[in-house]
Amino acid sequence: MEEFISKLKFDDKGLIPAIIQDYTNGEVLMLAYMDEEALNKTLETGETYFHSRSRGELWHKGATSGHIQRVKGISYDCDADALLIKVEQVGVACHTGHRSCFFNDVLEAPEAQKEDVLAELYDVIVDRKNNPKEGSYTDYLFDKGIDKILKKVGEESAEVIIAAKNGVYDEVRWEVADLFYHVLVLLVQQGMTLDDIYAELKGRRH
């Protein structure tokens, strides 16, 4: 796989821009730069490494924050002077706490307003599990363990049934959202991903 590096056109400083994209929904997360060392390290480890232009050194994305990027695919453009790296983002990509570095909207197309909210919420839950925060309800559930989580899933399922039976739109919406959240907590506790569920659903298509 490393043979493709010889085809790339690095700039006069030995760098090439790398666009980082969420492989599940196509969201652009960040733009960084790689030199050959960073690219080789990325290929070797399966996690993103970049060259810091300000510090002039190699850096492992998420080394201190835990917000690593697991590489799922790498492409280069028609001129071989830019990379597109598709990743599984753990936590958030931006140092400001935003999921994507591109949060300063100037002109937003209608379709850009559509977000994979479940994937974003799943990542937040993973982050809470890996980086506990005092007072976090999610951390409380993980601390209590599987029995508490299963109890909440059961309770929220019953609440959905009651709300639907009563035919109150706002209650149904609220209770389904609660159920989705607790199911995501269960998935994280079980070490499962949304991709596992998506693959199962896709396999049921007729």
Side-chain angles (χ1 to χ4, degrees):
M1 184 187 298
E2 289 83 351
E3 294 178 359
F4 86 94
I5 296 179
S6 63
K7 301 178 182 179
L8 300 178
K9 298 176 183 177
F10 294 86
D11 66 17
D12 57 1
K13 296 181 180 179
L15 302 177
I16 189 170
I19 301 166
I20 311 302
Q21 181 183 44
D22 188 315
Y23 86 107
T24 63
N25 60 13
E27 181 183 16
V28 176
L29 299 174
M30 58 182 287
L31 171 67
Y33 289 82
M34 290 182 165
D35 55 10
E36 287 197 33
E37 180 185 13
L39 185 50
N40 278 314
K41 194 72 173 176
T42 297
L43 292 169
E44 175 188 339
T45 64
E47 297 180 1
T48 55
Y49 281 76
F50 303 108
H51 177 83
S52 170
R53 293 179 296 170
S54 60
R55 300 191 302 272
E57 62 183 19
L58 181 75
W59 64 284
H60 177 199
K61 174 64 178 174
T64 56
S65 67
H67 298 164
I68 61 171
Q69 296 170 339
R70 300 189 182 100
V71 177
K72 298 297 183 179
I74 299 178
S75 306
Y76 57 91
D77 72 341
C78 56
D79 293 322
D81 60 2
L83 295 171
L84 175 65
I85 302 180
K86 297 183 179 182
V87 303
E88 176 189 352
Q89 176 68 54
V90 176
V92 299
C94 186
H95 72 281
T96 63
H98 289 82
R99 176 168 173 75
S100 168
C101 293
F102 296 93
F103 57 87
N104 294 302
D105 295 326
V106 178
L107 180 63
E108 187 175 6
E111 61 269 20
Q113 295 174 359
K114 297 179 181 178
E115 300 176 84
D116 191 338
V117 177
L118 288 180
E120 184 175 351
L121 179 56
Y122 178 91
D123 289 341
V124 171
I125 293 170
V126 170
D127 182 55
R128 289 292 184 272
K129 187 174 188 295
N130 295 332
N131 304 284
K133 292 186 178 181
E134 185 177 354
S136 166
Y137 175 67
T138 303
D139 289 340
Y140 163 78
L141 291 175
F142 284 129
D143 287 341
K144 290 297 183 179
I146 183 63
D147 289 343
K148 181 64 174 180
I149 294 171
L150 290 176
K151 181 181 179 182
K152 291 301 298 181
V153 170
E155 289 176 354
E156 297 304 336
S157 298
E159 293 291 341
V160 169
I161 293 171
I162 294 171
K165 186 67 174 177
N166 291 337
V168 181
Y169 174 86
D170 287 341
E171 289 183 8
V172 174
R173 181 184 60 187
W174 179 273
E175 298 301 345
V176 168
D178 277 352
L179 177 59
F180 280 7
Y181 161 76
H182 286 92
V183 168
L184 289 178
V185 173
L186 177 61
L187 289 182
V188 174
Q189 195 278 336
Q190 294 288 296
M192 300 178 66
T193 69
L194 280 172
D195 286 341
D196 295 325
I197 307 305
Y198 294 156
E200 177 65 26
L201 292 172
K202 185 176 181 180
R204 297 184 185 188
R205 291 179 181 174
H206 297 292

